[in-house]
Amino acid sequence: MIRRAVLRQGSSLRTFSLFHTRILLPTTSIIRPNQPINQISNSKWYSTEPIVSDEQKSEKDEKSKNGGEAQNTSEEDPISKELEAKKREIIDLKPQNSCLQRTKKDRYLRSIADFRNLQERTKRDMQAARDFAIQKFAKDLIESVDNLDRALSIVPQEKLTNPDNSEDRKQLISLYEGLKMTEEVLMNTLKKNGLERFDPSAEGVKFDPNEHEATFMVPIQGKEDNTVFDTQQKGFKLHGRVLRAAKVGVVKNS
C-alpha cells in the first residue's frame, strides 16, 4: 500500500511539471519500487527558476513603472487631444454666438417697433371711427344749415339799417335776429362735434381743387389769377376732412 502511494505521488509530480514551469522536483527523479520510505522523505527539493538578484528586481520594477507611465501618457493623449479640440470649437463658436445675439436683439427691437406701430395705428383707426361716426348725419344736417343761411341772406341790409320804426320793420328785425341766433347756436354745436363751415371768398384765398369747386371763371382787373372772389355755396369740414367742397367763382384774366 505504501509503495503504491509513493508511486502515485511520483507520477503526479512528473505530470504537474509538464504544465507549470515553476515546480519543485526532488533530486531523485526516479523512485524505485524497492526504495525505502525513509530515503524518499529525506530527499531534497530544488526550484527550477533562475535566481534573481536584488538589482535585477529593482531594474525590473523601474521598467514596469516606466512602462506604466508610458501607458498612462498614451492613455491621456487622446483625452488631451479631445480637450484641445473642444477648446478650439469654443473659440470658433464665439463669433457665431455674438452674431446670433445681435440677430436676436435686432429681431427683438423690430418686434417692439412693430407692436408700437400697431398700437398707434389701432389708436388712430379707433379715433377716426369715433370722429367720423357722425359723417352721414352731418351731411344730412348741412341742408338745414344752408336753408338758414339762405333765409338770412334774403333779408335786405337796407331794411335792417332803415331808421323807420314801423311795426313791420320791428317784426322783420326780430325774425332776422331769431334766425341769426338759431344759426349761431347750431354752428357752435356742430363745431363742438368737429363740423365747421368755411367761406373761401371771405378769406380771399387761392383756388384749391381739394376744397373748392369752380363753377365759373371771370376776368377781374386788379386781382390775381386763380383767386376766389365769389361763393355760391359754402363748404364744410369734419375734423379737418372736406365733407363738402365750396362752390366758388374764380378770377382768370388770361
Side-chain angles (χ1 to χ4, degrees):
M1 295 293 291
I2 295 172
R3 288 181 180 179
R4 289 180 183 177
V6 172
L7 289 173
R8 288 177 183 174
Q9 185 177 3
S11 62
S12 62
L13 289 173
R14 284 193 298 271
T15 305
F16 185 78
S17 64
L18 296 175
F19 297 96
H20 299 277
T21 57
R22 188 177 182 180
I23 58 174
L24 297 176
L25 296 176
T27 55
T28 57
S29 60
I30 300 173
I31 301 175
R32 297 181 180 85
N34 297 324
Q35 187 176 359
I37 297 173
N38 57 1
Q39 292 181 4
I40 296 172
S41 62
N42 293 329
S43 61
K44 296 181 180 180
W45 299 82
Y46 298 94
S47 175
T48 59
E49 283 190 358
I51 299 172
V52 180
S53 62
D54 295 337
E55 294 179 356
Q56 291 177 351
K57 287 182 179 180
S58 61
E59 290 178 358
K60 188 175 181 180
D61 293 337
E62 289 179 359
K63 288 181 180 180
S64 62
K65 288 181 181 179
N66 294 330
E69 291 178 356
Q71 186 176 2
N72 291 331
T73 53
S74 63
E75 291 178 355
E76 291 177 357
D77 285 339
I79 297 174
S80 61
K81 289 180 181 179
E82 188 175 358
L83 288 174
E84 291 294 332
K86 294 297 182 182
K87 288 180 181 179
R88 286 194 295 270
E89 288 180 3
I90 292 171
I91 294 171
D92 294 337
L93 288 174
K94 282 183 179 179
Q96 297 179 5
N97 189 18
S98 60
C99 182
L100 183 61
Q101 288 179 354
R102 287 195 298 270
T103 304
K104 287 184 177 180
K105 185 177 180 180
D106 293 339
R107 289 180 180 176
Y108 175 71
L109 294 176
R110 288 182 181 180
S111 299
I112 292 176
D114 292 339
F115 180 71
R116 289 180 178 175
N117 292 334
L118 179 61
Q119 283 183 327
E120 293 294 331
R121 187 164 56 251
T122 304
K123 186 178 179 180
R124 288 195 301 269
D125 293 342
M126 292 177 65
Q127 186 64 34
R130 286 194 296 267
D131 292 341
F132 299 102
I134 62 170
Q135 183 172 353
K136 187 176 183 301
F137 173 73
K139 283 184 177 180
D140 296 336
L141 193 61
I142 286 173
E143 297 295 332
S144 300
V145 177
D146 289 338
N147 291 331
L148 281 174
D149 191 25
R150 292 190 190 98
L152 291 172
S153 63
I154 289 174
V155 178
Q157 293 295 324
E158 296 175 356
K159 291 185 178 182
L160 296 175
T161 58
N162 192 355
D164 187 10
N165 292 326
S166 62
E167 191 67 24
D168 294 338
R169 180 177 174 276
K170 290 180 181 179
Q171 291 178 358
L172 180 62
I173 292 174
S174 297
L175 178 62
Y176 180 83
E177 289 178 353
L179 290 174
K180 190 70 174 177
M181 290 176 63
T182 303
E183 184 189 27
E184 289 177 356
V185 171
L186 180 60
M187 293 307 301
N188 289 331
T189 304
L190 295 177
K191 188 175 181 179
K192 289 179 182 179
N193 290 276
L195 184 63
E196 293 180 337
R197 183 174 62 182
F198 63 96
D199 186 358
S201 62
E203 298 171 359
V205 297
K206 292 284 186 179
F207 176 76
D208 186 0
N210 296 320
E211 297 182 359
H212 308 148
E213 180 182 353
T215 56
F216 63 96
M217 303 178 75
V218 177
I220 299 176
Q221 297 295 328
K223 288 189 176 182
E224 297 180 359
D225 290 346
N226 295 326
T227 302
V228 177
F229 73 94
D230 182 62
T231 302
Q232 290 184 329
Q233 190 179 48
K234 296 177 182 179
F236 285 87
K237 291 181 180 180
L238 181 62
H239 294 289
R241 181 188 296 178
V242 177
L243 188 63
R244 188 185 71 182
K247 295 181 179 180
V248 297
V250 183
V251 176
K252 187 175 182 182
N253 294 320
S254 58

